[in-house]
Amino acid sequence: MDLDLVVKNGVIVIASEVLPHGLQIGVKDGKVACIGINLPTSTNTQVVDAEGAYITPGGVDSHVHLAQKNSPTGDGWEAGSRSAIAGGTTTIIAFASQEREDASLYPVLEDYHAKSKDQSYCDYGFHFILTNPTDEILRNELPVLAEKEGITSVKLYMTYEAMKLNDRQVLNILFACKTLGMTTMIHAESHDMIALIIEGLEKNKNTEPYFHAVARARIAEDEASYRAISLAELADAPMLIVHMSSEIAVQHVRDAQTRLLPIHAETCPHYLFLLSEKIKGESHDHFSGAKHVCSPPLRHDPKDLDGLWQSIANGTFTTFSSDHAPSKYDAPGGKRLGLVDGIPRFSKIPNGLPGVETRMPLLFSQTPACQSPEKARLSLPRFVQLTATNPAKLYGLDGKKGSIAPGYDADFVVWHPGSTGACTISQSILHHDMDYTPFEGMQIENWPRYTILRGQVIWDQSNGIVGKMQYGRYLKRGMGQVLHGKTGNLPQGWREDERRYWL
């Protein structure tokens, strides 16, 4: 076989194991053709020498916000996808967001296709954000869009006035998505709890950015997560709770998984590495804490971080995503919307942090590739599960993305050998279109040396971005898999025949 690419002299890591040193990856026509020893090469074969470094699947970041109307200073497709490949991510799934007045999803999709076409360095897909889930959309549009466009996941909000759905609407969507085999994602925070606290804080003139973390109290996430799980249990439908930040909320997920409910959980880098002290800002500029405003907020207690790390290691979390939802700090329409006539108003600060580029290096730095065994927080196979394999399976890309195996797209990250990839995160080295990073000054132990997408080197740290923007392809996805538990359960305390009386 005349191979197009051979990656040699590396240590391949997949979701189940670390393969023996010395295996090579052969690529033909953008796919993994074989894994073997002493693969044949010709003058037409490009050879990438890993020099003893680890090789992991290209990252799948399944929670990325790009070019959304409600984030006018956020990243567009060009900058967001460029940033992704520089950090080892070869596939992103972003959000086509329905607004309240949108009576159909077809114009929403058309607009989002127009924004992304020929604008991406990496492969990509879409989720729908549903804010107006009419019967027409649920019964007639979603089935067509799932089959013809491969959009097989939706996201719902339990908070934000412009986006929140009530419990009945959530149930209607869960039933519809279950019938279609679609994945339902949910942002779980109690809107009424948060609104009540915000009113009190503003009445008492406590409006500095830090009070964002007070307003969106952990109990609001704990309660809404439990309620979301209960709604999913009633509907007997799979659910993913996104960007979880509370140890108690994650325990609700763990308990549900123990009962074999199909409940999945996601967390993000900022909830593993940062605390609410960051929102206090600099001593000379308290408003600079606005750079760290996101929802759910950064938590106060290091115990929350420890609890999340335990859930990273023990399998409770299904995916690890960036929730790249950036707003510039020093730009009209950005974070400084929270300065009203010179007075800080945390409730006006746009939510979200940049992080698509730093997601994989931050987590990889906590594996035995970079830490001693007693200090490593997760195994290398677990890293692959969280950053690539699980999101690919959950969102209908299994067999194409998320693993290194014959027939899969030839998407790889080649890391630096040993400690040669260590560096300090700085805004100056990143490739997004933001004016800050929340991880400024953090030391990480490795960075992708090469990012390879469908057999093409698109990031070479020595030379920077070497891929072409138009190389990224839209991905028509299949139906996702249930990775925790199963459907067919009865809510606790029900008899076998209770559902048939009302369904």
Side-chain angles (χ1 to χ4, degrees):
M1 182 184 296
D2 192 7
L3 295 169
D4 300 324
L5 171 72
V6 169
V7 183
K8 68 175 187 178
N9 197 25
V11 181
I12 303 168
V13 186
I14 57 176
S16 58
E17 61 185 322
V18 179
L19 299 180
H21 184 278
L23 292 176
Q24 300 175 349
I25 307 169
V27 176
K28 183 69 175 178
D29 298 330
K31 301 282 188 182
V32 177
C34 56
I35 297 174
I37 299 172
N38 298 323
L39 297 181
T41 60
S42 71
T43 56
N44 298 320
T45 306
Q46 181 184 6
V47 177
V48 172
D49 188 348
E51 299 183 8
Y54 287 101
I55 305 168
T56 60
V60 179
D61 193 341
S62 54
H63 192 150
V64 178
H65 297 269
L66 298 176
Q68 287 187 206
K69 292 179 182 178
N70 60 359
S71 184
T73 70
D75 268 341
W77 279 90
E78 178 181 357
S81 63
R82 180 181 65 214
S83 186
I85 65 172
T89 291
T90 53
T91 300
I92 56 177
I93 310 180
F95 295 93
S97 184
Q98 180 194 32
E99 298 186 2
R100 289 282 196 209
E101 64 272 16
D102 293 330
S104 170
L105 295 179
Y106 291 115
V108 177
L109 177 61
E110 183 180 356
D111 176 64
Y112 214 53
H113 267 311
K115 289 176 178 177
S116 57
K117 183 176 173 57
D118 296 329
Q119 296 294 308
S120 183
Y121 285 91
C122 62
D123 289 352
Y124 63 97
F126 301 153
H127 312 284
F128 275 122
I129 292 175
L130 297 183
T131 59
N132 183 22
T134 64
D135 287 345
E136 172 66 20
I137 287 172
L138 297 182
R139 292 177 183 175
N140 299 320
E141 292 192 4
L142 282 186
V144 174
L145 291 165
E147 181 182 357
K148 294 187 175 180
E149 291 284 340
I151 302 177
T152 53
S153 49
V154 300
K155 182 183 178 184
L156 323 177
Y157 286 83
M158 299 173 79
T159 186
Y160 299 135
E161 195 62 51
M163 307 178 86
K164 68 182 177 73
L165 303 178
N166 60 41
D167 288 357
R168 178 59 185 270
Q169 290 173 307
V170 172
L171 283 168
N172 289 342
I173 293 168
L174 283 168
F175 277 109
C177 288
K178 174 192 173 184
T179 300
L180 295 171
M182 296 178 67
T183 302
T184 302
M185 312 158 71
I186 193 160
H187 177 142
E189 287 185 288
S190 172
H191 180 81
D192 289 335
M193 283 187 183
I194 293 166
L196 177 72
I197 298 172
I198 288 175
E199 287 178 11
L201 288 168
E202 292 183 340
K203 180 180 178 181
N204 292 327
K205 296 183 170 52
N206 293 316
T207 59
E208 294 279 348
Y210 174 74
F211 290 103
H212 171 79
V214 176
R216 307 189 84 92
R218 198 183 77 170
I219 193 173
E221 182 181 353
D222 299 344
E223 183 277 330
S225 297
Y226 186 85
R227 178 158 42 102
I229 292 168
S230 298
L231 297 174
E233 185 174 9
L234 177 67
D236 187 29
M239 173 184 283
L240 173 93
I241 305 178
V242 298
H243 48 49
M244 301 194 77
S245 67
S246 162
E247 180 184 10
I248 298 301
V250 176
Q251 186 60 53
H252 294 328
V253 172
R254 185 72 171 177
D255 292 343
Q257 292 172 350
T258 300
R259 294 193 289 118
L260 297 183
L261 298 181
I263 304 299
H264 306 89
E266 169 200 273
T267 195
C268 310
H270 35 286
Y271 300 124
L272 296 179
F273 292 97
L274 304 176
L275 289 169
S276 62
E277 287 294 310
K278 287 284 188 181
I279 317 176
K280 292 182 177 179
E282 305 295 333
S283 58
H284 63 282
D285 180 11
H286 290 173
F287 190 77
S288 65
K291 294 177 182 179
H292 292 87
V293 166
C294 58
S295 294
L298 305 182
R299 297 303 178 193
H300 305 314
D301 195 333
K303 290 181 181 178
D304 275 304
L305 272 63
D306 292 339
L308 297 186
W309 277 114
Q310 289 179 15
S311 296
I312 282 281
N314 69 20
T316 303
F317 282 118
T318 313
T319 63
F320 177 73
S321 305
S322 67
D323 191 10
H324 184 76
S327 291
K328 285 188 174 71
Y329 174 67
D330 196 11
K335 296 285 189 181
R336 287 188 175 273
L337 283 174
L339 276 177
V340 181
D341 297 328
I343 298 172
R345 294 286 298 275
F346 72 83
S347 62
K348 305 297 183 184
I349 299 171
N351 283 263
L353 309 177
V356 69
E357 186 168 351
T358 47
R359 174 187 75 117
M360 291 186 69
L362 281 165
L363 195 63
F364 189 79
S365 293
Q366 301 301 314
T367 70
C370 302
Q371 303 287 341
S372 61
E374 62 272 14
K375 290 185 178 180
R377 294 182 187 253
L378 73 163
S379 69
L380 281 160
R382 184 77 178 118
F383 168 82
V384 170
Q385 291 170 22
L386 288 161
T387 60
T389 307
N390 284 358
K393 289 181 176 181
L394 187 65
Y395 294 109
L397 292 171
D398 191 31
K400 181 180 292 185
K401 302 290 185 181
S403 190
I404 301 174
Y408 280 72
D409 284 359
D411 299 354
F412 319 127
V413 181
V414 180
W415 300 87
H416 285 268
S419 60
T420 59
C423 65
T424 301
I425 295 177
S426 168
Q427 165 66 13
S428 63
I429 70 170
L430 300 179
H431 295 79
H432 55 207
D433 188 28
M434 293 296 103
D435 54 3
Y436 77 98
T437 170
F439 305 105
E440 185 73 40
M442 287 187 61
Q443 175 73 23
I444 55 173
E445 304 307 320
N446 212 318
W447 193 272
R449 185 181 182 188
Y450 303 109
T451 303
I452 298 172
L453 171 61
R454 288 183 276 109
Q456 297 292 318
V457 177
I458 55 173
W459 162 257
D460 174 348
Q461 194 175 22
S462 298
N463 298 298
I465 303 291
V466 293
K468 294 182 179 180
M469 185 170 64
Q470 295 82 1
Y471 189 60
R473 292 179 182 171
Y474 173 74
L475 298 169
K476 181 179 178 181
R477 296 181 287 123
M479 296 303 170
Q481 299 179 28
V482 172
L483 303 182
H484 291 288
K486 61 182 182 65
T487 56
N489 300 292
L490 286 174
Q492 295 182 95
W494 282 36
R495 293 179 175 176
E496 288 291 333
D497 61 349
E498 286 196 36
R499 272 202 180 95
R500 72 179 179 86
Y501 291 112
W502 57 276
L503 271 183

